[in-house]
Amino acid sequence: MQHQDNHNHGHDHTHHHHGHNHATPVSKQKDPVCGMDVDPATAKGTSAFQGKRYFFCNTKCQAKFDANPESFLGEAKAPERKTTRFFDN
């Protein structure tokens, strides 16, 4: 048995973070197909598109995304335009 009260040997034992690789919580990412929040560490699938990585809740969502990524990304969609037609009378 070791006795540990009031030991002082030149340094303190307070908790410090010095580049130790502690697991830090990663923010959840949205599955672009179904909208579910996905933890990147446990994602069932990942894909890269236009320099960004996407995370999926399952391989079915990943397959749908891989087949047509633009259809699931709001910023990649063409802007909606109103068409005005002029008729000659």
Side-chain angles (χ1 to χ4, degrees), residues 4-18:
Q4 292 186 352
D5 337 312
N6 297 327
H7 66 280
N8 185 357
H9 44 252
H11 65 274
D12 67 48
H13 288 258
T14 56
H15 191 119
H16 296 284
H17 292 280
H18 292 288

Side-chain angles (χ1 to χ4, degrees), residues 51-79:
K52 184 174 179 193
R53 183 154 296 281
Y54 296 92
F55 299 91
F56 302 93
C57 66
N58 65 50
T59 54
K60 290 179 184 177
C61 283
Q62 181 186 5
K64 288 179 185 178
F65 179 85
D66 288 343
N68 190 2
E70 292 90 355
S71 69
F72 297 103
L73 303 176
E75 65 273 2
K77 289 181 182 176

Side-chain angles (χ1 to χ4, degrees), residues 81-87:
R81 287 186 265 165
K82 290 184 178 181
T83 305
T84 305
R85 294 187 178 167
F86 295 96
F87 297 97

